Amino acid sequence: NTGTCTVTAGTATVNTAGSLALAQWEGGALYFTSASTAIFFPAAKTVSPGGLVYITGTTFTTATSFSLPDNTFTSTYRNYRLFVNVTAFTNDVDLTLRLRASGSDNTTSNYRTAGMGLTSSAATVNRTANATSSFDVGESDSTTDYTLTLDVLAPQVAVNTNLVGQATMYYKTPAGLASLNYGLSFATTTQFDSLSFISSVASSMTGVYRVYGYANS
């Protein structure tokens, strides 16, 4: 757990077909052919983790809102992916999202929303807002579910936090299934460690969320 370690010999001679320098978490075995001679057999290298690394997730039932745990976003990863699937609503709702730091939602008027798409009847729909206190991430009536996929870009870096993604919902007016592409931007360089997803109706949402970090290399 300290970076590269190198196998060295005291009085014995160590022979090996591979490197004696072990990367972090690598290992191997020494096989002594005599009291003074050994052969080192490096173990198979650990497979690097995939591009998306699971961080947190849970279910929520008849909730007004949910917040990711504090310090979901850290310096470990620069970018993150959020999945939200609301499987049931008790009422027609409007849905918003706020960024959080140190356990509190940021409610300053620095949120900018650009959401554009089509309904299943080919009607154009837009969800746009500028200098508001939250992101507008859509709506749904009580007859269907809602899905949101967002990439959260550089929330822990002192630059504007941008989010890009897509949402599928049942649009109230004009009525019909709608798919919208979203571009969201928080217009100051605040660093965030979490976010909140909020319904306009109390105790109205049941579903799940998952958060993954994008591997840096």
Side-chain angles (χ1 to χ4, degrees), residues 23-26 44-53 77 213-217:
Q24 188 176 24
W25 307 117
E26 289 184 339
K45 292 184 180 293
T46 303
V47 177
S48 298
L52 284 175
V53 181
Y77 305 102
Y214 279 101
N216 291 325
S217 62

Side-chain angles (χ1 to χ4, degrees), residues 54-203:
Y54 175 77
I55 295 175
T56 187
T58 192
T59 60
F60 48 90
T61 304
T62 56
T64 305
S65 64
F66 67 78
S67 298
L68 308 184
D70 292 353
N71 299 311
T72 293
F73 307 141
T74 67
S75 59
T76 301
Y77 305 102
R78 182 180 178 90
N79 304 313
Y80 297 82
R81 172 155 285 200
L82 168 70
F83 295 99
V84 178
N85 180 208
V86 184
T87 55
F89 292 100
T90 60
N91 293 279
D92 295 355
V93 300
D94 293 301
L95 300 165
T96 56
L97 185 148
R98 284 180 173 147
L99 297 168
R100 289 170 64 84
S102 303
S104 297
D105 287 0
N106 187 301
T107 59
T108 60
S109 298
N110 290 299
Y111 293 86
R112 299 179 296 192
T113 299
M116 293 161 282
L118 295 171
T119 70
S120 53
S121 60
T124 301
V125 292
N126 296 298
R127 308 286 295 200
T128 58
N130 189 51
T132 54
S133 61
S134 62
F135 293 129
D136 178 341
V137 290
E139 61 180 53
S140 186
D141 75 2
S142 59
T143 65
T144 190
D145 59 1
Y146 166 98
T147 59
L148 174 70
T149 303
L150 285 176
D151 285 338
V152 185
L153 307 178
Q156 277 282 292
V157 182
V159 296
N160 289 6
T161 298
N162 295 315
L163 302 87
V164 292
Q166 190 268 343
T168 301
M169 65 199 74
Y170 195 87
Y171 218 69
K172 293 178 286 186
T173 305
L177 181 69
S179 178
L180 278 75
N181 293 316
Y182 272 96
L184 312 172
S185 182
F186 188 84
T188 70
T189 59
T190 306
Q191 292 171 268
F192 298 105
D193 62 32
S194 178
L195 56 78
S196 294
F197 185 86
I198 306 161
S199 167
S200 61
V201 178
S203 306

